[in-house]
Amino acid sequence: MLTQQIAGIILTLTRQVPTSLVSEMTFPLWGLVIFILWTIVIVILLLTVRIRHLAAGGSVKDFATPNDESLLWRLFRVQANLVENLPLYLGVVFLLTVRGVSGIVVDALVVVYIAFRIIHSLIHIAGLDPKFRLLSLAIQLTCLVTLITLALF
């Protein structure tokens, strides 16, 4: 009986997805890929800086010490910010995909959103004036709200 259940589970897991459920790679989906890859790049960069910090005799306690002068802290905040924003963009992509909403306006908004998400990270990493990050965030939120509106109406 257990063998039959396992065989049933394996058959279920290995069945092909019906082609009606398979979607082309759209701008919103490519944006999601880029967002995820950018997050991975930042995590790798953060790990590299942490390892160098420890190798130079630094303490693990320094990882959680707020200090905008520290690249370690700024990278930590960038990574946390990306992880906080990824579900928002993922939700928008889900709505656009499920509702079948696409077009030049959607594509342009996705490109602007992803570009300013990356710019936001770079501004933070470089330790530039936070006003630039705020402007970048405002542009991103405008894109997200507009995309949600397009997906719903």
Side-chain angles (χ1 to χ4, degrees):
M1 173 118 85
L2 181 59
T3 308
Q4 289 175 338
Q5 289 175 340
I6 293 172
I9 291 171
I10 291 171
L11 280 174
T12 302
L13 293 175
T14 58
R15 285 192 189 136
Q16 285 189 336
V17 177
T19 55
S20 62
L21 296 179
V22 177
S23 178
E24 290 181 26
M25 285 300 286
T26 61
F27 268 72
L29 290 172
W30 278 115
L32 182 59
V33 169
I34 292 167
F35 198 133
I36 292 167
L37 290 174
W38 179 245
T39 304
I40 291 169
V41 166
I42 295 300
V43 169
I44 290 169
L45 192 56
L46 176 60
L47 288 173
T48 302
V49 171
R50 283 182 169 183
I51 290 167
R52 284 185 175 177
H53 176 77
L54 292 173
S59 170
V60 174
K61 293 178 184 178
D62 297 334
F63 294 169
T65 303
N67 176 4
D68 287 333
E69 302 291 318
S70 166
L71 177 60
L72 184 63
W73 175 253
R74 292 192 314 267
L75 281 169
F76 170 74
R77 289 302 310 141
V78 167
Q79 182 268 334
N81 193 264
L82 287 166
V83 170
E84 292 164 359
N85 283 275
L86 184 55
L88 296 174
Y89 182 69
L90 182 60
V92 169
V93 170
F94 176 78
L95 284 172
L96 290 168
T97 303
V98 168
R99 304 260 312 161
V101 177
S102 62
I104 294 172
V105 173
V106 169
D107 295 350
L109 287 166
V110 166
V111 169
V112 170
Y113 174 80
I114 294 299
F116 277 92
R117 181 89 294 263
I118 292 171
I119 289 168
H120 183 274
S121 298
L122 294 173
I123 291 168
H124 205 158
I125 292 168
L128 300 177
D129 189 335
K131 286 183 249 176
F132 297 123
R133 282 197 334 253
L134 182 60
L135 176 62
S136 176
L137 180 60
I139 292 169
Q140 292 169 61
L141 287 175
T142 301
C143 289
L144 282 181
V145 169
T146 305
L147 286 166
I148 290 169
T149 302
L150 290 171
L152 294 176
F153 301 106

